[in-house]
């Protein structure tokens, strides 16, 4: 679909309060029970505000633009921290770091992987898994207010806090623990994300794109880590029903949808994993609302019922 629909305002929420639903015109004056004001936003909210603002500024948007946006799989945490992490890693004396149990770990091979990572969480991307595991360990060990050198400012809530504090002892420890964890599990430091973030359907691994809210990924995916079974072996929450909808002046909505976990829980059903596979391949279902759209479906089957 190429016809544009009306330009969107810069609106996003991402499960934070309404304060920055429109970052250009923050909402204030409501009761505290409805959410906080003037506090740090999640990385997912911050990244989404930037991305939605860029879409709105460009204008002339199509449903295809919204589809593409869903699967950019950008990780704002990576934009903010991966470069600094890579440089600090390379500066470690002897290329080693001390793990949480006091042992020395050679982390030198991780440094270029972090630097080369493209900051997205798509299934074929190398470096995404390494950064994800490192970021989880680092943010679990360091309070949010001590993670960054530039603190949060209510005057610039979309871009602060920023600048990773790599001088904190927890930085090298998290890096060492991550490298050792992956090596112990037999997982390459530069393994493609989809080889170790997947769901199993019918005995087959289906790679899953997206990433944790900790990373700030719009296409949120929260997996269960089981290194012995290959990585993130199941998804417990995150993107579920996805839709991209617009109007092109024809009177019929232009709609693309996706049910990431598929429509049937019956393993024998053809709809047990079909949309999960579409999600893996970053593809969509065409939702048909008007009669002409229904009649044009290549999968249409007409059954006529009559009385005997």
């Amino acid at each position: 679909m190429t016809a544009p629909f009306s330009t969107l305002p810069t609106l996003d929420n991402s499960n934070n309060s309404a304060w920055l639903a429109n970052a250009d015109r923050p909402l204030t004056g409501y009761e505290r029970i409805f959410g906080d004001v003037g506090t740090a936003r999640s990385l997912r909210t911050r990244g989404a505000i930037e991305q939605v603002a860029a879409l709105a500024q460009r204008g002339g948007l199509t449903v295809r633009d919204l589809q593409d946006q869903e699967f950019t799989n950008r990780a704002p945490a990576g934009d903010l921290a991966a470069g600094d992490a890579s440089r600090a890693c390379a500066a470690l004396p002897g290329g080693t770091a001390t793990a949480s149990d006091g042992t020395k770990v050679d982390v030198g091979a991780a440094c270029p992987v972090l630097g080369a990572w493209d900051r997205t969480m798509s299934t074929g991307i190398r470096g995404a898994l390494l950064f994800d595991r490192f970021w989880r360990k680092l943010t679990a060990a360091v309070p949010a207010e001590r993670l960054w050198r530039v603190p949060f400012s209510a005057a610039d809530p979309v871009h602060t806090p920023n600048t990773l504090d790599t001088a904190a002892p927890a930085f090298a420890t998290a890096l060492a623990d991550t490298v050792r964890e992956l090596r112990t599990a037999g997982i390459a430091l530069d393994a493609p994300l989809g080889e170790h973030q997947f769901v199993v359907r019918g005995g087959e691994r289906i790679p899953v794109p997206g990433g944790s809210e900790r990373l700030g990924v719009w296409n949120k995916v929260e997996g269960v880590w089981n290194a012995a079974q290959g990585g993130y072996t199941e998804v417990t929450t995150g993107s579920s029903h996805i839709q991209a909808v617009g109007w092109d002046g024809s009177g019929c909505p232009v709609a693309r949808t996706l049910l990431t976990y598929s429509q049937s829980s019956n393993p024998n059903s053809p709809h047990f994993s079909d949309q999960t596979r579409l999600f893996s391949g970053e593809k969509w279902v065409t939702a048909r609302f008007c009669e002409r759209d229904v009649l044009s479906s290549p999968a249409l089957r007409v059954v006529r019922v009559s009385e005997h």
Side-chain angles (χ1 to χ4, degrees), residues 12-16 41-51 70 76 211-221 238-239:
D12 177 75
N13 180 270
S14 298
N15 298 329
N16 274 160
R41 303 292 91 175
S42 71
L43 283 174
R44 188 165 182 254
T45 291
R46 291 169 59 186
I49 287 173
E50 290 179 330
Q51 292 174 74
E70 170 62 25
S212 167
E213 187 158 353
R214 291 187 186 215
L215 296 170
V217 184
W218 185 326
N219 181 22
K220 176 182 173 180
V221 168
S239 295

Side-chain angles (χ1 to χ4, degrees), residues 163-244:
T163 311
L164 183 67
D165 185 1
T166 56
F171 168 81
T173 301
L175 187 60
D177 286 347
T178 301
V179 169
R180 186 172 60 180
E181 173 187 62
L182 294 179
R183 284 178 174 156
T184 300
I187 299 174
L189 300 182
D190 65 345
L193 177 65
E195 290 184 3
H196 301 284
Q197 181 170 278
F198 56 86
V199 295
V200 178
R201 299 291 183 269
E204 181 183 350
R205 289 185 178 186
I206 301 177
V208 173
S212 167
E213 187 158 353
R214 291 187 186 215
L215 296 170
V217 184
W218 185 326
N219 181 22
K220 176 182 173 180
V221 168
E222 299 288 353
V224 176
W225 181 256
N226 188 326
Q229 293 185 19
Y232 290 113
T233 58
E234 192 52 76
V235 175
T236 57
T237 186
S239 295
S240 52
H241 172 71
I242 306 169
Q243 61 182 26

Side-chain angles (χ1 to χ4, degrees), residues 277-299:
R277 296 178 189 281
L278 289 177
F279 180 61
S280 175
E282 301 182 359
K283 299 178 180 178
W284 296 75
V285 173
T286 297
R288 302 173 187 272
F289 286 92
C290 293
E291 184 175 11
R292 71 174 190 223
D293 296 326
V294 173
L295 294 176
S296 68
S297 171

Side-chain angles (χ1 to χ4, degrees), residues 63-286:
V63 169
R64 167 52 64 183
D65 291 322
L66 299 184
Q67 291 176 256
D68 292 343
Q69 177 58 41
E70 170 62 25
F71 288 118
T72 58
N73 295 319
R74 173 191 169 214
D79 291 335
L80 288 170
D84 287 338
S86 174
R87 288 185 288 272
C89 172
L92 289 170
T96 64
T98 303
S100 54
D101 66 355
T103 60
K104 295 288 186 180
V105 178
D106 182 353
V107 299
C111 312
V113 176
L114 290 172
W117 174 43
D118 76 349
R119 284 49 163 172
T120 71
M121 302 297 288
S122 296
T123 55
I125 298 302
R126 298 179 184 274
L129 182 67
L130 173 65
F131 185 84
D132 170 79
R133 296 306 300 165
F134 160 72
W135 193 248
R136 289 172 186 266
K137 296 181 190 304
L138 182 64
T139 55
V142 181
E145 64 274 13
R146 296 175 57 190
L147 188 63
W148 308 100
R149 292 180 179 174
V150 177
F152 167 74
S153 169
D156 188 14
V158 176
H159 303 109
T160 60
N162 62 57
T163 311
L164 183 67
D165 185 1
T166 56
F171 168 81
T173 301
L175 187 60
D177 286 347
T178 301
V179 169
R180 186 172 60 180
E181 173 187 62
L182 294 179
R183 284 178 174 156
T184 300
I187 299 174
L189 300 182
D190 65 345
L193 177 65
E195 290 184 3
H196 301 284
Q197 181 170 278
F198 56 86
V199 295
V200 178
R201 299 291 183 269
E204 181 183 350
R205 289 185 178 186
I206 301 177
V208 173
S212 167
E213 187 158 353
R214 291 187 186 215
L215 296 170
V217 184
W218 185 326
N219 181 22
K220 176 182 173 180
V221 168
E222 299 288 353
V224 176
W225 181 256
N226 188 326
Q229 293 185 19
Y232 290 113
T233 58
E234 192 52 76
V235 175
T236 57
T237 186
S239 295
S240 52
H241 172 71
I242 306 169
Q243 61 182 26
V245 182
W247 286 263
D248 62 0
S250 68
C252 291
V254 179
R256 303 293 182 264
T257 64
L258 198 56
L259 195 62
T260 64
Y261 48 82
S262 296
Q263 197 164 6
S264 175
S265 59
N266 179 1
N268 297 317
S269 168
H271 304 298
F272 175 63
S273 62
D274 54 347
Q275 291 194 50
T276 304
R277 296 178 189 281
L278 289 177
F279 180 61
S280 175
E282 301 182 359
K283 299 178 180 178
W284 296 75
V285 173
T286 297

